[in-house]
Amino acid sequence: MLNKISTFLGSCLATIFLIGLATTLTRSSMIGFWDVLPVYILMALAIGMMIYEAYFDKK
């Protein structure tokens, strides 16, 4: 039970951090959406791989 809670909490905190990191790039007026799109794609892939490894890759 404690392992599931710590996995969920760690995944949530890492996801919040990665989303915050990606959204701070859009705050600048010098950087447009198309410049940040690759960062969004990479962050989505990183979050997806993190969730897959934490919950679905149990052998």
Side-chain angles (χ1 to χ4, degrees), residues 1 3-4 10 12 23-24 27 29-30 33-34 38-39 41-43 46 48 52-53 59:
M1 181 66 179
N3 191 17
K4 289 181 182 181
C12 285
T23 56
T24 54
R27 304 276 182 203
S29 61
M30 305 281 288
F33 174 75
W34 296 109
V39 176
I41 292 170
L42 287 175
M43 289 298 171
Y52 176 76
E53 185 178 346
K59 289 188 177 183

Side-chain angles (χ1 to χ4, degrees), residues 8-55:
F8 178 73
L9 184 62
S11 297
C12 285
L13 290 174
T15 302
I16 290 170
F17 174 74
L18 289 173
I19 291 172
L21 191 66
T23 56
T24 54
L25 291 172
T26 59
R27 304 276 182 203
S28 174
S29 61
M30 305 281 288
I31 300 174
F33 174 75
W34 296 109
D35 298 327
V36 185
L37 186 62
V39 176
Y40 285 146
I41 292 170
L42 287 175
M43 289 298 171
L45 286 173
I47 291 169
M49 287 189 295
M50 177 184 63
I51 290 173
Y52 176 76
E53 185 178 346
Y55 294 108

